[in-house]
Amino acid sequence: MCGTRKTDRKLRVVPASSPEEIFAPAEFVTLAHTAHSKLFENQRFVWEALKQIASYLQFRLKPAVLGQLMGKPFISNTVFVGAGTIVEQGAVLKGPAWIGENCHVRSGCYIRENVIAGDGVVMGNSCEFKNCIIFDEAQIPHFSYVGDSILGYQAHLGAGVILSNVKLDHTEIAVAAKDGNIATGLTKFGAIIGDRTEIGCNAVINPGSVLGRDCLIYPNVNFRGVLPDRSAVKLRQEVQILERR
């Protein structure tokens, strides 16, 4: 699609933005709100950073536990935990993983391989994380799965939100862009969740979804696709109240 822009007496055709511009990392996440912005350098599409996590941790991770442990959580020798972070008993940090400062890793949290969390992140009870990048102050407090995904600054997942990362037929995942599908080269890719986006309880975000900044996803929504900034996705259902017999 092309637009027109008036300049003096002539109209100049303005080309539509390219996919690389539409899906560039800076369009979804604020790189100042992560200590790991290098993951996004020279990436055409925001999701390409997911391919870099393993090698990034392999060369840059220096395991250490600088935070506070409550009881005896399991922390492997391939995990960094920043100062001020609390890790509760019953949490499992398998790693490789890099957890920032002043985070809260609650009991029952399962942090698998290749996880990077920023500062002030809540990683809650019965939540599972795998191959993901979580920006500062994001909250994932209860019963969620975050696999092969990126969560922006202050993004929030309500209880029971699932970021599904594999198609049922296990084929390559494409992003359903406006002008056609974009192949990602990934068979595991959950979602991109933009800064400050809120997802309601028990919503399912299907593989290859890309959500812009400041969006609202209502509870129980089943969503797949690309969502522009400041969009809301509602689910309406009919509820009947009957006399009990």
Side-chain angles (χ1 to χ4, degrees), residues 1-7 10-16:
M1 181 183 297
C2 293
T4 57
R5 183 177 300 161
K6 193 171 183 179
T7 57
K10 296 182 180 180
L11 291 177
R12 180 165 61 88
V13 175
V14 180

Side-chain angles (χ1 to χ4, degrees), residues 50-236:
L50 295 170
K51 304 174 185 179
Q52 312 302 321
I53 300 173
S55 59
Y56 179 87
L57 290 176
Q58 181 180 357
F59 291 105
R60 293 178 177 269
L61 180 67
K62 296 181 179 179
V65 177
L66 306 180
Q68 176 186 352
L69 306 184
M70 297 178 61
K72 295 182 179 180
F74 174 82
I75 302 176
S76 79
N77 60 2
T78 58
V79 173
F80 174 85
V81 177
T85 289
I86 297 172
V87 183
E88 295 182 2
Q89 181 162 322
V92 175
L93 284 66
K94 177 182 175 183
W98 189 323
I99 312 300
E101 298 181 352
N102 301 311
C103 297
H104 198 164
V105 182
R106 295 175 178 167
S107 181
C109 180
Y110 181 27
I111 297 174
R112 292 171 53 193
E113 63 276 9
N114 303 325
V115 173
I116 295 175
D119 296 338
V121 172
V122 175
M123 308 175 82
N125 62 295
S126 301
C127 292
E128 181 178 348
F129 301 88
K130 173 254 180 188
N131 199 66
C132 56
I133 304 167
I134 303 170
F135 277 59
D136 297 346
E137 299 182 31
Q139 295 190 5
I140 310 95
H142 319 280
F143 309 109
S144 290
Y145 176 72
V146 177
D148 301 278
S149 297
I150 299 171
L151 275 66
Y153 172 62
Q154 292 185 341
H156 175 253
L157 305 189
V161 171
I162 303 299
L163 305 184
S164 177
N165 64 334
V166 180
K167 293 172 64 176
L168 290 177
D169 60 5
H170 298 276
T171 57
E172 181 183 356
I173 295 165
V175 172
K178 185 176 181 179
D179 297 325
N181 289 344
I182 301 175
T184 65
L186 298 166
T187 56
K188 293 185 178 181
F189 170 26
I192 307 299
I193 310 296
D195 294 340
R196 299 174 300 278
T197 284
E198 298 266 350
I199 302 181
C201 296
N202 294 320
V204 176
I205 310 301
N206 286 284
S209 294
V210 181
L211 282 56
R213 290 183 167 101
D214 300 296
C215 293
L216 294 176
I217 307 291
Y218 277 44
N220 296 312
V221 164
N222 190 318
F223 181 84
R224 178 181 182 271
V226 177
L227 195 63
D229 291 353
R230 301 191 64 81
S231 297
V233 180
K234 293 185 177 182
L235 174 67
R236 299 188 182 278

